[in-house]
Amino acid sequence: MLRLRSVAGLGRSHLRLKSSPQLRSVRASSIFAPTDSFARRHVGPLDSADTEHMLKTLGSASIDALVADVIPDKILTRRPLSVQPQNGFSESELTARLKEIANKNTVLRSYIGAGYYGTVVPPVIQRNILECPEWYTSYTPYQPEISQGRLESLLNYQTLVTDLTGMSIANASLLDEGTAAAEAMLLSFNALRGKKKTYYVDSSVHPQTLSCIKSRALVFDIKIVQELPSDDKELFGAVAQYPSTDGSINDFSELGARVHAAGGLFSVASDLLALTLLKPPSEFKADIVFGTSQRFGVPMGYGGPHAAFFAAADSQKRKIPGRLVGVSKDRLGDDAYRLALQTREQHIRREKATSNICTAQALLANMAAMYAVYHGPKGLQKIASRVYSLTSVLATAIKSLQYKIVNETWFDTLTVEVADADKILSHAVSMFGINLRKIDSKLVAVSIDETVTKPDVLDLVSIFANLSDVPHASVTEDTLDDIAGTLAISVIKPAIIPESFRRAGKILNYKVFNSYHTETEMLRYIHHLQTKDLSLANSMIPLGSCTMKLNATTQMAPLSWPQFSNLHPFIPRDQAQGYTELIAELEADLADITGFDATSLQPNSGAQGEYTGLRVIKAYLEAIGQSQRNVCLIPVSAHGTNPASAVMAGMKVVAVKCTAEGELDILDLETKAEKHKDELAALMVTYPSTFGVFEPRVKDAVNIVHDRGGQVYMDGANMNAQIGLCSPGDIGVDVCHLNLHKTFCIPHGGGGPGVGPICVKSHLAPFLPGHPVVSMAGDEMAAIQPVAAAPWGSASILTISWAYIKMMGGKGIIRSTEYALLNANYMAERLREHYPILYKNAEGRCAHEFIVDIRGFKDSADIEAIDVAKRLQDYGFHAPTMSWPVAGTLMIEPTESESLAELDRFCDAMIAIREEIREIEQGSQPKDINVLKNSPHSIKDLMRGDWDRPYSREKAAFPLPYLRERKFWPSVTRLNDTYGDLNLFCTCEPLALENID
């Protein structure tokens, strides 16, 4: 576009041609091409000499030749992608383009509430956790010896939740409040083994939460009622909000007693900040308490991601969904943290699971925990008291203008009766830049948060004053001072919660919440925990099926921009035009990449994406009069979330065999599809398979199911091996989910966040999930009810995947896939002489991951996969995926982001470990006490004076030369898993007799 620009020193205007980065497409060979191109920074071995070396090792003439060996001819399409720009933005161009989009968002003051509030993110937490790669690039802490930092922080989170809710046990977070509500309902339902079918949802519950509950209830034929039935014989549970969505504070003791009398469980949705002042829900006998910890220092982010909390009575500890951090002992007898009770998780229980929860929101839970640590009990109560005091001042001022406030009690929210709600909302936006919440045509709500200042309160009162029937109504700051004086409210003496609802006793009487209140101490505590955890900042994390690739800094930086972080998810759509544009582009790019027609970004995890895809299939089948179809065929090799999600979607799981070569047994599939042809709803298939190969007959499998009236669902966990070379849509699949936290560079965050969008063919598009508060594009009549609390799920981190796609471009993103295949096959070739490699195709190739077989060493040396996994920690590496999909094996996925040097370093470590196993096989090392059985070795372990082991300290700590300069130390020795589960302890130790003033 033409743009006039005034140039200092020339004294006149120049006519300058400036093209938008959105339209820029400069060939890499052009002198005008920017020098900060991204693809070469993302792909590890892009150097031609490294590539040639790797191809020579493999005996391949070119990458194209390798790809042809890896992907069957019938599957390989190499369809050009429409992603623009084709050559990708440079990093500076991407930043400029994203700023253009961000500036289309209008950041007003939003006092909408309903589960989303303004918050002050402490800079020490923003810079050192949210923006710190050591925190956001680590993996779920399944290897506890190298995860003690975030495990400790998550234990702090669990302690925070149990203390404020008054419950016995809490998990390490769930996806969002809506998901937590649905999980609470299902836990209650399953507690009575599904024998009762009625669930009461109190009118106090947020509307988006109600929709998520209804969505989950539908497939179980659970009847949701909002008026208590006259007869409780079918009642299995109830849920209420405390404080209520209208702001009122209610004593739910009577409701809880009634539910218990019927034999059911009583759940309460609550607010952690309010609970610093209010009686905990445990005092009215709640069995389950859940909510969101967003306002503990986590930005609204247009809906997410945020960490939900979920706490329960002790009787439910083995049924509570999600991950649970507990305290155990290590080999030296010292306390150490680990994920507890894992046998109850879906990846083990599969179709018998009562939840399909796979991931959590660890990064956001850690931010919330640190917020509590930083402020401490007194600081949190000071913030809460200020919120309550300002709300009380506002209530008095609004009442003086002759408005009726519907709720007689409150913590932070007032519901006001008005003549015309739309007029109030419009006036608030146009004249004051403030968003309020519309309840109905005569009711509006306003929610106060910690960001509110005196001028903000003045503006809020002025909104109502300007439209008041009171003659000459006006308000000044002096008016507010007078009201505060009349109410006897000050900093020294804030407003006091009514005694009937007031909390008694101390909160958070634990050392960790009473120690780190200066920034210096807080910074050191965060850094201390950080040093205990291995992340991508230390070394590659070669976890099969997890795609731990680069999370580039340029992609991550916009997370902290206020235009993305400070938007409430329920603002008018015209205030989020930037988000609308970015979301539309991302949806289109993902649909193009996968070969589909439409996309939903609402699911907050891969497992939630699976569930959503199957729900969409069910809705489609019902719409065409095929509601009897409820059988889902799932290969035995599938990830545990597949059968668990199918059950959650109301389907019956029928397992399909795999062949000895790791391929789908087509004959068994056809036999079972024919047997169930009248009830067949879907086939769930992962591609490439979980065994790490492209199955040549996948199209045959698709046709078998389609011919018998079923739909085909593809698990997109392995999409990193497909992009630009083949696609689910081209294969003939109807729906797939993607893991944006795998293929599309959202970091794993130590166990969340994640995004699991689904892409569908046109016939399924009308059924993509809708939302009760925000109107979304699509057929709202046909749309399934929401699966998440916010319309676009974890909207703020969609910027990461959008940025990755746009910087790689339509051509570069295909290059990523090619190098993912090259890296995996190179490593497999290097390790082939030392370990058996399972499941290769006819050409001897794997896809983007491969399986190393450790099983034979059990007989020869009494060494198992866990011993190799733990020994890798001594070499500075996180273990590959252990004992899945085949017990006793390791599955390795290097991704395209790792350099040849790093690939070789890992291979050298694996080869050195093989030699250590050989020493045991040859008898030079004993089978019971050796360097593998005792791994990993902490500094404390090595400093023990009584070293009586048959190997040296040097061999334990520095088995290869590079470790002398570049050593990551496990902070504890191997954990005792059995002790941790038999002695379940999931909170911090309280301060026994210490008195903290």
Side-chain angles (χ1 to χ4, degrees):
M1 69 180 126
L2 293 177
R3 179 180 174 184
L4 285 172
R5 184 186 184 210
S6 177
V7 182
L10 297 181
R12 61 188 179 91
S13 294
H14 282 257
L15 199 62
R16 182 184 178 195
L17 189 65
K18 182 177 177 65
S19 60
S20 168
Q22 184 181 14
L23 305 176
R24 189 186 303 274
S25 182
V26 180
R27 292 183 180 180
S29 59
S30 169
I31 189 62
F32 298 106
T35 57
D36 60 338
S37 59
F38 176 70
R40 64 194 173 94
R41 306 295 190 189
H42 176 79
V43 178
L46 200 55
D47 177 85
S48 59
D50 289 348
T51 302
E52 289 174 9
H53 168 76
M54 295 167 74
L55 289 170
K56 184 178 180 181
T57 300
L58 290 167
S60 293
S62 64
I63 289 183
D64 287 346
L66 174 64
V67 168
D69 282 347
V70 171
I71 303 178
D73 290 340
K74 292 180 180 179
I75 304 302
L76 182 61
T77 58
R78 285 195 175 275
R79 173 173 56 85
L81 300 179
S82 300
V83 173
Q84 296 296 326
Q86 280 288 292
N87 294 320
F89 287 133
S90 70
E91 295 188 63
S92 56
E93 287 174 335
L94 185 284
T95 301
R97 170 65 181 135
L98 202 48
K99 284 181 178 178
E100 286 183 3
I101 292 175
N103 288 333
K104 294 179 183 179
N105 290 330
T106 304
V107 184
L108 304 184
R109 290 170 289 175
S110 289
Y111 305 126
I112 297 171
Y116 303 92
Y117 305 90
T119 184
V120 178
V121 184
V124 67
I125 295 175
Q126 176 175 310
R127 175 59 61 90
N128 297 291
I129 293 185
L130 178 63
E131 298 173 353
C132 178
E134 285 86 353
W135 283 89
Y136 67 69
T137 69
S138 55
Y139 188 64
T140 304
Y142 288 127
Q143 295 292 329
E145 298 86 359
I146 51 175
S147 308
Q148 289 295 294
R150 63 189 180 283
L151 283 168
E152 179 176 327
S153 183
L154 290 172
L155 192 82
N156 294 343
Y157 181 80
Q158 293 176 182
T159 303
L160 165 71
V161 172
T162 55
D163 190 81
L164 294 183
T165 61
M167 305 307 287
S168 299
I169 193 166
N171 69 13
S173 74
L174 289 179
L175 301 177
D176 62 14
E177 185 169 336
T179 303
E183 293 291 331
M185 178 193 66
L186 281 186
L187 193 158
S188 303
F189 179 67
N190 289 313
L192 296 180
R193 301 185 180 181
K195 293 178 180 179
K196 295 185 177 184
K197 292 284 189 177
T198 300
Y199 192 67
Y200 171 70
V201 181
D202 192 72
S203 59
S204 60
V205 171
H206 294 318
Q208 71 273 17
T209 303
L210 171 62
S211 288
C212 289
I213 291 172
K214 287 181 175 179
S215 181
R216 193 73 69 89
L218 184 66
V219 297
F220 293 97
D221 295 323
I222 293 171
K223 182 181 179 182
I224 301 298
V225 297
Q226 292 199 270
E227 291 186 9
L228 279 168
S230 56
D231 187 345
D232 294 345
K233 65 180 181 180
E234 282 297 311
L235 191 68
F236 69 82
V239 62
Q241 193 101 29
Y242 173 77
S244 300
T245 190
D246 69 358
S248 60
I249 305 170
N250 300 294
D251 185 343
F252 290 108
S253 298
E254 185 177 330
L255 176 58
R258 182 169 173 179
V259 174
H260 291 151
L265 298 182
F266 180 43
S267 298
V268 175
S270 197
D271 179 298
L272 292 181
L273 189 64
L275 291 181
T276 65
L277 301 181
L278 298 179
K279 284 183 178 180
S282 59
E283 292 197 15
F284 40 81
K285 308 304 180 185
D287 301 290
I288 301 168
V289 184
F290 63 86
T292 175
S293 57
Q294 177 266 317
R295 69 192 309 174
F296 272 33
V298 180
M300 290 184 287
Y302 201 45
H306 308 133
F309 63 87
F310 194 102
D314 188 68
S315 60
Q316 306 302 320
K317 65 186 178 185
R318 294 184 183 273
K319 301 172 185 176
I320 191 170
R323 295 177 182 139
L324 193 65
V325 177
V327 182
S328 187
K329 299 286 185 182
D330 73 354
R331 176 167 51 81
L332 301 181
D334 295 326
D335 285 348
Y337 309 112
R338 60 183 281 274
L339 293 179
L341 299 182
Q342 290 191 56
T343 53
R344 65 193 223 300
E345 291 193 24
Q346 44 63 38
H347 64 274
I348 294 174
R349 289 183 57 81
R350 299 177 70 82
E351 68 269 18
K352 295 180 182 179
T354 55
S355 169
N356 71 332
I357 292 294
C358 181
T359 192
Q361 298 283 22
L363 184 67
L364 298 317
N366 283 327
M367 288 181 68
M370 290 298 183
Y371 179 93
V373 168
Y374 194 38
H375 287 294
K378 289 185 177 180
L380 292 176
Q381 289 185 319
K382 183 177 181 180
I383 293 169
S385 293
R386 182 177 180 274
V387 166
Y388 177 61
S389 296
L390 295 185
T391 307
S392 299
V393 169
L394 179 61
T396 302
I398 291 175
K399 285 179 182 178
S400 72
L401 298 168
Q402 297 183 5
Y403 287 96
K404 178 183 178 182
I405 294 180
V406 175
N407 50 310
E408 296 180 356
T409 55
W410 54 77
F411 167 65
D412 62 6
T413 297
L414 304 173
T415 296
V416 186
E417 191 174 287
V418 297
D420 186 337
D422 289 331
K423 188 175 182 180
I424 287 279
L425 264 63
S426 175
H427 182 68
V429 169
S430 61
M431 299 303 296
F432 294 93
I434 286 176
N435 289 309
L436 304 178
R437 175 163 48 117
K438 179 181 177 180
I439 306 297
D440 60 32
S441 63
K442 300 292 184 181
L443 294 175
V444 299
V446 54
S447 295
I448 299 298
D449 56 54
E450 69 167 316
T451 69
V452 171
T453 62
K454 187 177 184 180
D456 295 331
V457 176
L458 181 61
D459 285 349
L460 285 168
V461 178
S462 298
I463 292 168
F464 292 95
N466 291 354
L467 299 179
S468 168
D469 292 332
V470 176
H472 312 296
S474 64
V475 63
T476 66
E477 290 194 10
D478 289 341
T479 308
L480 299 182
D481 290 334
D482 291 342
I483 293 172
T486 301
L487 297 175
I489 294 174
S490 66
V491 173
I492 299 172
K493 188 181 179 182
I496 299 175
I497 296 286
E499 186 176 359
S500 57
F501 298 110
R502 193 184 312 151
R503 189 178 193 117
K506 294 182 177 181
I507 64 169
L508 301 178
N509 195 29
Y510 302 85
K511 182 178 179 181
V512 69
F513 296 110
N514 293 276
S515 300
Y516 308 107
H517 303 327
T518 69
E519 183 164 334
T520 300
E521 290 299 320
M522 188 65 190
L523 175 64
R524 288 171 181 163
Y525 179 60
I526 293 172
H527 183 72
H528 170 65
L529 297 190
Q530 169 193 310
T531 60
K532 297 182 178 185
D533 288 8
L534 186 143
S535 69
L536 285 175
N538 301 103
S539 59
M540 71 183 292
I541 300 179
L543 283 155
S545 194
C546 296
T547 316
M548 299 291 291
K549 62 166 69 176
L550 170 71
N551 313 122
T553 306
T554 298
Q555 297 160 14
M556 297 296 296
L559 279 179
S560 301
W561 295 358
Q563 300 97 320
F564 290 123
S565 64
N566 288 350
L567 268 63
H568 193 288
F570 301 159
I571 60 173
R573 292 287 298 276
D574 62 3
Q575 294 177 26
Q577 292 182 21
Y579 262 120
T580 299
E581 184 173 334
L582 183 143
I583 286 168
E585 289 186 11
L586 181 58
E587 288 177 343
D589 285 345
L590 294 177
D592 176 45
I593 287 167
T594 56
F596 286 111
D597 302 305
T599 305
S600 170
L601 296 166
Q602 191 176 102
N604 277 317
S605 73
Q608 199 168 70
E610 294 171 11
Y611 168 76
T612 306
L614 293 174
R615 282 289 314 281
V616 166
I617 287 174
K618 284 280 287 181
Y620 165 73
L621 292 173
E622 290 168 3
I624 63 171
Q626 296 288 305
S627 58
Q628 84 283 357
R629 293 186 175 273
N630 68 342
V631 169
C632 187
L633 303 177
I634 301 179
V636 294
S637 61
H639 193 280
T641 54
N642 285 186
S645 295
V647 171
M648 293 299 103
M651 294 185 180
K652 176 185 175 183
V653 174
V654 174
V656 179
K657 297 176 183 177
C658 291
T659 67
E661 292 74 33
E663 296 179 358
L664 187 65
D665 188 327
I666 296 295
L667 180 60
D668 189 54
L669 171 66
E670 188 165 21
T671 300
K672 288 173 179 173
E674 180 63 24
K675 178 180 178 181
H676 298 285
K677 63 182 179 181
D678 294 330
E679 300 85 32
L680 181 59
L683 164 70
M684 294 188 81
V685 62
T686 303
Y687 204 71
S689 75
T690 53
F691 293 123
V693 293
F694 284 91
E695 298 186 28
R697 298 192 63 187
V698 66
K699 286 187 176 181
D700 294 338
V702 170
N703 292 334
I704 287 169
V705 174
H706 281 164
D707 290 346
R708 289 159 179 82
Q711 299 284 292
V712 179
Y713 174 97
M714 183 172 285
D715 184 320
N718 293 341
M719 193 67 203
N720 208 48
Q722 289 195 53
I723 297 178
L725 306 179
C726 61
S727 76
D730 293 331
I731 290 169
V733 171
D734 301 289
V735 54
C736 82
H737 90 268
L738 301 170
N739 296 86
L740 298 192
H741 48 289
K742 295 182 182 180
T743 308
F744 297 96
C745 292
I746 289 174
H748 283 71
V755 178
I758 63 168
C759 301
V760 300
K761 288 291 190 180
S762 58
H763 66 284
L764 298 180
F767 306 96
L768 293 175
H771 197 272
V773 180
V774 177
S775 178
M776 302 174 69
D779 186 347
E780 295 187 11
M781 294 298 293
I784 65 170
Q785 290 183 308
V787 298
W792 287 279
S794 297
S796 67
I797 56 176
L798 298 178
T799 56
I800 301 169
S801 296
W802 179 92
Y804 168 68
I805 293 170
K806 294 305 183 185
M807 283 201 291
M808 294 303 293
K811 295 179 180 178
I813 201 167
I814 299 174
R815 205 68 170 159
S816 290
T817 304
E818 293 171 339
Y819 273 86
L821 302 180
L822 175 62
N823 285 2
N825 278 278
Y826 171 77
M827 291 182 73
E829 186 64 29
R830 275 212 63 193
L831 295 177
R832 194 181 305 277
E833 294 181 7
H834 308 277
Y835 298 90
I837 308 296
L838 297 182
Y839 306 122
K840 304 174 289 291
N841 69 9
E843 305 299 327
R845 304 299 189 197
C846 63
H848 65 309
E849 60 191 2
F850 60 97
I851 299 174
V852 172
D853 194 354
I854 309 296
R855 292 172 297 182
F857 303 132
K858 175 63 177 175
D859 290 334
S860 66
D862 197 28
I863 293 298
E864 301 176 75
I866 191 171
D867 300 313
V868 177
K870 301 304 181 184
R871 181 58 173 156
L872 276 168
Q873 296 177 15
D874 287 329
Y875 285 82
F877 287 105
H878 192 291
T881 299
M882 189 173 66
S883 289
W884 187 84
V886 180
T889 66
L890 298 174
M891 183 162 63
I892 298 170
E893 181 187 358
T895 83
E896 71 276 12
S897 296
E898 298 301 338
S899 67
L900 174 60
E902 185 71 351
L903 302 180
D904 280 338
R905 195 167 71 93
F906 180 82
C907 288
D908 290 345
M910 286 292 290
I911 293 167
I913 290 172
R914 177 64 185 95
E915 293 307 309
E916 292 172 349
I917 296 172
R918 201 180 313 280
E919 291 176 356
I920 302 169
E921 291 173 325
Q922 295 173 348
S924 58
Q925 286 288 312
K927 287 186 176 182
D928 55 345
I929 302 175
N930 56 64
V931 73
L932 280 95
K933 287 294 184 184
N934 285 337
S935 62
H937 299 81
S938 65
I939 292 177
K940 180 179 179 180
D941 187 24
L942 294 171
M943 295 302 292
R944 290 166 63 94
D946 53 340
W947 191 265
D948 57 355
R949 303 175 198 176
Y951 56 91
S952 67
R953 288 184 172 92
E954 182 175 7
K955 184 177 182 65
F958 304 112
L960 287 178
Y962 73 80
L963 291 163
R964 292 187 174 278
E965 179 182 354
R966 186 178 176 182
K967 173 73 176 178
F968 178 87
W969 291 97
S971 58
V972 296
T973 55
R974 193 180 304 194
L975 264 72
N976 185 332
D977 291 329
T978 303
Y979 178 91
D981 281 350
L982 292 177
N983 301 272
L984 191 62
F985 195 81
C986 299
T987 61
C988 302
E989 285 277 6
L991 291 169
L993 299 175
E994 295 182 40
N995 181 30
I996 295 181
D997 296 323

